[in-house]
Amino acid sequence: MICPSGIDLEQLVPANGNKFLFHYTTYSSALGILLSQQMRLSSLANMNDPLEFEDHSRDGLVFHGNPSNEDLAKWIHDFVEAVKEKNRSVRLASFAMDMPLNNPPKGAQDNLYNNLCKGWARSRMWAQYADKHRGICLIFDKENLIKAFKDEFKEDSCEALCKAVEYTNDLDPLKDALCKSCKSLLTTEKINFLFQKCQDFRDEQEFRLLLINRKLKDAKELVSFSIADSLCGVISGVNFPKEDRPSLERAMESCNPEIRYFSIRWEYGVPNLYDYAYSRELIKRVLSK
């Protein structure tokens, strides 16, 4: 693989979509991804939206109408079994996207507004998913990542779906769909709800790679796919320990020498990126004079 040599992560996002996707993680997890060249898919139990991980054992309470005890017991049984099937069969990987600027401001504030809309510049995600800014944000070529994901899971038992998450607080369609039939949560209609989250999460601008594999027997069964042809950059957090930088660079070298290494800096709340290779070359030039 040859990584894009002209990665410009600070350019305006084109109206037709994102070229890159961003994955926030801890340093140890990033090392595992780099050294194995594999990304592990998560189970729904590891997600943080109640729509995904909530305990459904009492969901009979939302049953419409006035059902008999027998109907209610059957409904709850079917629902709990459907949730078990969903948790057993579904795996996913989450990425952040840039937020396009439809009407970018003019003048001196362009860079401020532009960078704050970037997928790599989500301060809350650096804090929550990347070990309080001590972790890593991995940069992926979107097109290559989707291709690798779909190529990995071509079996008839698998559905490999790639789509941006929709954020809405209108949960009535989900409730109505469940009350009509809850024998499976993996029908075509209900799968769409796996790409839905409450508006409280909207600033994450999430893009999901979602796998449904009905042959999986356990929610803890590990599933991964190759990222060797799609990983093109690494960003270390502002609090990333300097002593860990050599081992990170060795892991990047073993994965692919073409991977670009950036660090993020926050200046009066405005995020900016620094290219390590360019900075080192610049220092060499200055010292050689």
Side-chain angles (χ1 to χ4, degrees), residues 153-208:
F153 304 108
K154 287 184 174 180
E155 296 110 347
D156 293 339
S157 62
C158 295
E159 293 181 66
L161 308 171
C162 310
K163 195 166 68 170
V165 169
E166 177 186 357
Y167 301 95
T168 176
N169 286 341
D170 181 9
L171 303 181
D172 284 339
L174 172 60
K175 186 187 295 185
D176 292 342
L178 296 177
C179 288
K180 288 177 184 177
S181 173
C182 58
K183 290 186 177 180
S184 176
L185 300 179
L186 301 179
T187 62
T188 301
E189 176 191 21
K190 295 188 180 74
I191 285 174
N192 288 329
F193 294 118
L194 294 175
F195 291 93
Q196 177 178 304
K197 297 179 79 169
C198 299
Q199 287 187 352
D200 187 48
F201 293 90
R202 62 187 177 273
D203 289 339
E204 292 184 353
Q205 289 292 298
E206 182 180 346
F207 188 92
R208 283 188 170 179

Side-chain angles (χ1 to χ4, degrees), residues 31 34-37 247-257 259:
L31 279 185
L34 288 165
L35 294 173
S36 68
Q37 300 184 25
S247 57
L248 175 62
E249 292 187 283
R250 286 194 296 270
M252 291 170 56
E253 180 75 17
S254 70
C255 180
N256 186 338
I259 294 175

Side-chain angles (χ1 to χ4, degrees), residues 1-258:
M1 169 191 133
I2 299 178
C3 293
S5 59
I7 297 179
D8 185 358
L9 298 174
E10 297 179 333
Q11 66 182 350
L12 288 176
V13 184
N16 60 354
N18 292 254
K19 178 176 175 56
F20 302 106
L21 295 174
F22 305 90
H23 181 74
Y24 292 83
T25 189
T26 62
Y27 169 59
S28 60
S29 294
L31 279 185
I33 292 171
L34 288 165
L35 294 173
S36 68
Q37 300 184 25
Q38 296 276 320
M39 172 165 281
R40 184 179 297 174
L41 301 176
S42 298
S43 68
L44 290 174
N46 293 330
M47 308 311 288
N48 57 10
D49 183 349
L51 281 175
E52 297 159 332
F53 69 74
E54 66 181 330
D55 179 3
H56 294 273
S57 60
R58 299 182 61 199
D59 277 341
L61 298 175
V62 302
F63 197 97
H64 288 183
N66 187 26
S68 66
N69 288 340
E70 182 179 350
D71 288 340
L72 186 57
K74 182 179 184 306
W75 189 91
I76 294 176
H77 175 269
D78 288 346
F79 197 2
V80 171
E81 290 302 311
V83 169
K84 290 179 181 177
E85 177 196 33
K86 182 182 74 169
N87 290 341
R88 180 175 65 248
S89 304
V90 175
R91 301 289 188 278
L92 57 87
S94 297
F95 304 85
M97 300 184 296
D98 289 343
M99 191 181 303
L101 283 175
N102 296 323
N103 297 297
K106 304 297 182 182
Q109 298 300 308
D110 279 5
N111 190 59
L112 184 154
Y113 284 99
N114 182 40
N115 281 7
L116 286 173
C117 291
K118 295 300 183 179
W120 50 264
R122 306 276 155 73
S123 182
R124 184 168 63 85
M125 295 181 72
W126 276 107
Q128 182 172 343
Y129 300 110
D131 193 19
K132 298 180 181 179
H133 298 264
R134 292 189 292 265
I136 298 294
C137 179
L138 301 173
I139 309 167
F140 293 91
D141 181 282
K142 180 182 178 181
E143 183 178 341
N144 290 344
L145 185 72
I146 291 175
K147 182 180 184 304
F149 179 69
K150 290 186 174 181
D151 287 347
E152 187 81 28
F153 304 108
K154 287 184 174 180
E155 296 110 347
D156 293 339
S157 62
C158 295
E159 293 181 66
L161 308 171
C162 310
K163 195 166 68 170
V165 169
E166 177 186 357
Y167 301 95
T168 176
N169 286 341
D170 181 9
L171 303 181
D172 284 339
L174 172 60
K175 186 187 295 185
D176 292 342
L178 296 177
C179 288
K180 288 177 184 177
S181 173
C182 58
K183 290 186 177 180
S184 176
L185 300 179
L186 301 179
T187 62
T188 301
E189 176 191 21
K190 295 188 180 74
I191 285 174
N192 288 329
F193 294 118
L194 294 175
F195 291 93
Q196 177 178 304
K197 297 179 79 169
C198 299
Q199 287 187 352
D200 187 48
F201 293 90
R202 62 187 177 273
D203 289 339
E204 292 184 353
Q205 289 292 298
E206 182 180 346
F207 188 92
R208 283 188 170 179
L209 306 184
L210 189 139
L211 170 69
I212 299 174
N213 184 352
R214 292 174 175 82
K215 286 187 176 180
L216 294 175
K217 295 180 171 33
D218 189 280
K220 296 181 180 180
E221 192 171 340
L222 301 181
V223 180
S224 60
F225 71 102
S226 173
I227 49 82
D229 293 330
S230 58
L231 181 61
C232 54
V234 170
I235 305 172
S236 57
V238 67
N239 292 330
F240 183 75
K242 291 181 180 180
E243 60 269 22
D244 289 333
R245 193 177 299 156
S247 57
L248 175 62
E249 292 187 283
R250 286 194 296 270
M252 291 170 56
E253 180 75 17
S254 70
C255 180
N256 186 338
E258 300 292 329

